[in-house]
Amino acid sequence: MKTIEQIKKYINDSDMVLVGIGNEEWENGQRELFEKILEGKNHYIINEDMTEENNGWSKYSMWLMGSMNRKICIIESDVSMERPDRSRWPFERIAVINKKAIFIRINKKLPYIPVELKDRGIGIAENAMDILSGIC
């Protein structure tokens, strides 16, 4: 329960929330759960291939530019190592550059947090759907 409360606090305390979801989980309802959790919050949700349903790359880039020097909560949920250059590594880099960022990685198999984010990141080795359901 402490983890769920911690995530809720990070989300509530942030100005913006960026979420990356693994492709398989995108199809299995994680996007809908995140939309429910983040309702009313300035947020952006993409899948592991860095695509989203509406306006594509330019909309994402503009949203991301607006996040610099703002409190942002970056949540990576069940992203694989199949294409780490698409969301895993860029999300880490965004968090390293923005000193006001909090980085959360929910991944049962790969919860690793980079050394540069040890004070501003948490790795959760649990089932993401269980965590998200607990937040709702």
Side-chain angles (χ1 to χ4, degrees):
M1 279 303 185
K2 183 179 178 187
T3 301
I4 290 171
E5 294 306 315
Q6 193 175 18
I7 294 170
K8 283 183 185 179
K9 181 177 177 2
Y10 288 145
I11 290 171
N12 288 333
D13 290 350
S14 66
D15 299 322
M16 304 171 84
V17 180
L18 175 61
V19 177
I21 303 172
N23 288 337
E24 187 175 317
E25 288 69 23
W26 179 274
E27 300 297 325
N28 292 333
Q30 273 196 30
R31 180 187 175 103
E32 290 78 14
L33 270 176
F34 272 112
E35 289 287 358
K36 183 176 178 182
I37 292 165
L38 300 173
E39 186 176 353
K41 194 81 174 169
N42 183 353
H43 68 280
Y44 204 91
I45 302 174
I46 58 175
N47 68 5
E48 193 168 7
D49 288 332
M50 297 294 283
T51 59
E52 37 75 40
E53 293 177 0
N54 296 323
N55 296 319
W57 184 254
S58 62
K59 184 178 177 186
Y60 170 70
S61 297
M62 292 300 291
W63 187 92
L64 198 56
M65 284 191 309
S67 74
M68 294 313 297
N69 204 30
R70 307 258 322 262
K71 284 184 173 180
I72 183 170
C73 180
I74 301 169
I75 304 172
E76 184 198 277
S77 182
D78 288 326
V79 171
S80 73
M81 287 299 283
E82 188 173 308
R83 292 295 310 264
D85 59 318
R86 295 287 178 99
S87 57
R88 192 172 179 94
W89 295 339
F91 276 27
E92 289 175 0
R93 191 73 193 134
I94 293 164
V96 168
I97 291 169
N98 184 342
K99 301 301 181 199
K100 294 181 180 181
I102 294 294
F103 184 80
I104 301 168
R105 177 170 280 147
I106 307 170
N107 194 309
K108 201 168 188 173
K109 296 177 185 174
L110 302 164
Y112 168 78
I113 296 295
V115 173
E116 300 90 350
L117 295 173
K118 68 177 170 40
D119 297 329
R120 296 183 292 122
I122 57 172
I124 303 164
E126 295 181 38
N127 180 293
M129 290 300 274
D130 293 343
I131 297 288
L132 297 175
S133 296
I135 294 172
C136 284

